[in-house]
């Protein structure tokens, strides 16, 4: 099994995906253990002094004015975890919780938090044992970190609360730790706070969304190319010299992908046949511009994610010169903004894909295709209601594109009077990515059927490869009406698993 070694200088997106989705094992580097020990010495020295230090010998948030005596400090750290583990609603996904815990461990190992090495090792041990704390949908405002979600994870470290075992069964965390031979942690000064104060949940969801959207945008380019082909459109609008005079990188990449898919097609170039068309509709002609803008948004979001992965987010932090200073680095605004940007871009990509699907099904705009791609229109409804489903998904994505980061609700008696809502932005983006996958799957389903209905014209070799792969995946071709949901589910699974890209690239070479 792949092993991820956590040092002091951050981790990569690939590390996050390996731990969250593939169950990779985690090891702490010697450098990280040394940094943890050195920072802990600083915290313990401050704890021994009579002067109050936030998070070490004081209360938290609006209660930071109270100095806590030494005999109550262990109780203080336990209490902050217990009181902050106040999430509600359905459980979030296992991969999200694993990413959340792993990213908190990454910051703990930076040497800026003052946590003991044994606490960090216990975090790694719990992840390696396949134990996943129960974390709930609601509770984070995305400022002072993802407090409630991280608190539920810290509760598991203490052997309290509920967690999911490696067998998928939810049980008391203490029982699961005992079976795995893991000793619960007794938290000391600063440690409870350090386990709660980060942007780890929203960052983990951003990293996973970026990975999913990278494949999905390539799949969307392929589906758009197949729709252009099925509509007998022109590929002249994809010429590199046209995109070079508006040099947005994403636009050029999308156009290049579509052109590569369409190479060798006998269906393109017929826009002057029959009733001549000067230009294709915007949904066909402007596909690279819309998908390309989304790709450039992905690139910006990836830059933000890389910076955040290299960050140590905590409050207060231990600095190399021995100071322990309060700060505002836990504010989730940088991550929240790009999560919202991605939801906007995804909604627009879904919208233009639905418009192409609708065009394929409309006999007045499809240039010779049967109504709704039906076998016997009137007796058969064809893909009429598949487009309804797609439209419903697009409508939801437009609602999900409303930014969460534009909102803020004050908390902690107005001490925390401006928050990012980054966790909420991440949660809705996950739904948007799911919906976009389904939308692309429906366009792909319609486009492949439409191409097969163009008798006497040979599609591009790459298009043929996609059609063959889709059919092999259980998505049926043209014919009389049948129970449609299984076909749509099979198309969704095909797109979700990266089947579109896998089918095309042996013909086209790597897509951009």
């Amino acid at each position: 099994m792949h092993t991820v070694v956590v040092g002091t200088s951050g981790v990569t997106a690939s590390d996050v995906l390996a731990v969250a989705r593939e169950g990779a094992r985690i090891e702490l580097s010697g450098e990280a253990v040394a940094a943890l020990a050195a920072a802990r010495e600083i915290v313990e020295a401050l704890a021994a002094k009579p002067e109050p230090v936030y998070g070490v010998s004081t209360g938290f948030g609006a209660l930071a004015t109270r100095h806590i005596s030494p005999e109550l400090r262990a109780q203080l750290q336990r209490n902050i975890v217990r009181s902050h583990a106040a999430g509600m609603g359905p459980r979030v996904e296992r991969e999200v919780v694993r990413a959340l815990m792993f990213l908190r461990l990454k910051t703990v190992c930076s040497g800026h938090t003052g946590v003991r090495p044994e606490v960090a090792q216990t975090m790694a041990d719990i992840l390696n044992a396949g134990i996943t704390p129960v974390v709930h949908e609601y509770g984070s405002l995305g400022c002072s970190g993802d407090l409630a979600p991280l608190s539920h994870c810290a509760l598991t470290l203490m052997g309290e609360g509920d967690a999911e075992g490696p067998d998928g069964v939810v049980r008391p965390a203490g029982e699961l730790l005992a079976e795995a031979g893991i000793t619960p942690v007794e938290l000391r000064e600063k440690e409870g706070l350090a386990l709660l104060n980060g942007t780890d949940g929203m960052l983990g969801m951003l990293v996973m969304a970026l990975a999913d959207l990278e494949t999905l945008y390539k799949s969307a380019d392929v589906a758009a190319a197949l729709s252009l082909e099925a509509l007998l459109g022109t590929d002249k609008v994809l010429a590199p010299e046209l995109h070079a005079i508006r040099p947005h990188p994403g636009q050029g990449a999308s156009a290049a992908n579509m052109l590569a898919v369409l190479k060798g097609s006998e269906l393109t170039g017929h826009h002057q046949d029959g009733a001549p068309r000067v230009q294709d509709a915007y949904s066909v002609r402007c596909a690279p511009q819309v998908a390309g803008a989304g790709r450039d948004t992905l690139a910006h979001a990836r830059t933000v994610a890389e910076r955040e992965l290299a960050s140590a987010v905590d409050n207060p932090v231990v600095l190399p010169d021995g100071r322990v200073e309060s700060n505002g680095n836990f504010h989730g605004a940088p991550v929240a903004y790009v999560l919202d940007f991605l939801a906007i871009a995804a909604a627009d990509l879904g919208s233009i894909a639905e418009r192409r699907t609708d065009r394929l099904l409309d006999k007045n705009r499809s240039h010779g295709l049967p109504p709704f791609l039906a076998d016997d229109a009137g007796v058969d409804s064809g893909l009429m209601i598949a487009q309804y489903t797609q439209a419903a998904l697009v409508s939801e994505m437009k609602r999900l594109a409303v930014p969460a980061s534009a909102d803020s609700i004050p908390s902690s008696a107005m001490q925390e009077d401006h928050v990012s809502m980054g966790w909420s932005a991440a949660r809705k983006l996950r739904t948007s990515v799911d919906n976009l996958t389904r939308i692309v799957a429906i366009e792909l389903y319609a486009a492949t059927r439409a191409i097969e209905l163009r008798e006497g014209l040979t599609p591009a070799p790459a298009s043929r490869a996609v059609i063959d792969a889709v059919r092999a995946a259980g998505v049926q071709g043209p014919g009389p009406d049948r129970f449609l949901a299984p076909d749509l589910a099979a198309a969704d699974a095909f797109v979700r698993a990266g089947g579109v890209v896998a089918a095309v690239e042996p013909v086209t070479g790597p897509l951009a």
Side-chain angles (χ1 to χ4, degrees), residues 142-315:
C143 203
S144 285
D146 290 316
L147 287 174
L150 283 163
S151 296
H152 283 275
C153 293
L155 203 64
T156 296
L157 263 70
M158 294 164 50
E160 300 181 17
D162 292 327
E164 179 187 293
D167 58 358
V169 177
V170 174
R171 296 165 52 198
E175 293 181 10
L176 292 169
L177 264 59
E179 289 179 7
I182 299 171
T183 302
V185 169
E186 292 284 345
L187 298 176
R188 296 182 185 173
E189 293 94 342
K190 177 70 171 65
E191 290 180 337
L193 186 61
L195 294 175
L196 315 186
N197 222 330
T199 56
D200 309 291
M202 63 184 92
L203 176 58
M205 287 185 274
L206 173 60
V207 169
M208 289 186 284
L210 286 169
D212 294 338
L213 286 168
E214 182 177 357
T215 300
L216 200 47
Y217 267 80
K218 293 177 184 179
S219 302
D221 287 343
V222 175
L226 267 62
S227 289
L228 183 153
E229 198 172 19
L231 291 165
L232 304 179
T234 176
D235 60 357
K236 290 184 178 180
V237 297
L238 304 173
E241 57 270 25
L242 292 175
H243 298 278
I245 62 175
R246 195 190 189 196
H248 293 288
Q251 176 180 323
S254 286
N257 286 345
M258 291 180 66
L259 201 58
V261 172
L262 293 170
K263 185 177 181 181
S265 174
E266 292 183 3
L267 281 81
T268 57
H270 294 278
H271 58 292
Q272 295 294 334
D273 297 351
R277 280 172 281 161
V278 177
Q279 301 173 114
D280 288 319
Y282 282 11
S283 61
V284 177
R285 189 176 7 137
C286 300
Q289 284 76 10
V290 172
R295 284 169 166 271
D296 291 342
T297 304
L298 278 177
H300 171 60
R302 193 173 293 111
T303 297
V304 172
E306 288 169 355
R307 291 171 181 160
E308 198 75 359
L309 286 168
S311 301
V313 178
D314 194 16
N315 180 50

Side-chain angles (χ1 to χ4, degrees), residues 12-34:
T12 66
S14 295
D15 292 334
V16 177
L17 295 171
V19 172
R21 291 181 164 173
E22 300 166 20
R25 291 188 60 79
I26 301 162
E27 292 181 3
L28 308 186
S29 71
E31 175 194 30
V33 173

Side-chain angles (χ1 to χ4, degrees), residues 9 37 57 61 70 81 89 108 116 147 196 217 236 254 256 261 269 307 323-324 333 414 420 436 467:
S9 57
S57 53
V81 172
V108 164
R116 288 170 294 149
L147 287 174
L196 315 186
Y217 267 80
K236 290 184 178 180
S254 286
V261 172
R307 291 171 181 160
R323 286 179 295 147
V324 175
M414 294 300 287
S420 78
L436 181 58
I467 294 168

Side-chain angles (χ1 to χ4, degrees), residues 13 17 21 122 163 172 198 240 246 254 264 298 348-349 373 395 439 441 450 470 477:
L17 295 171
R21 291 181 164 173
T122 302
R246 195 190 189 196
S254 286
L298 278 177
D348 201 34
L349 186 61
L373 306 182
S395 183
I439 289 165
V470 167

Side-chain angles (χ1 to χ4, degrees), residues 88-160:
M88 293 184 73
R91 289 173 55 198
V92 302
E93 303 81 2
R94 181 176 185 270
E95 67 177 14
V96 171
V97 180
R98 286 184 63 82
L100 171 77
M101 284 192 71
F102 174 66
L103 287 168
R104 194 69 221 140
L105 175 61
K106 176 267 298 183
T107 284
V108 164
C109 287
S110 69
H112 291 293
T113 66
V115 169
R116 288 170 294 149
E118 49 264 46
V119 175
Q121 186 60 57
T122 302
M123 295 172 75
D125 291 343
I126 288 173
L127 285 165
N128 289 341
I131 297 170
T132 307
V134 170
V135 173
H136 299 279
E137 180 81 16
Y138 302 105
S140 174
L141 299 180
C143 203
S144 285
D146 290 316
L147 287 174
L150 283 163
S151 296
H152 283 275
C153 293
L155 203 64
T156 296
L157 263 70
M158 294 164 50
E160 300 181 17

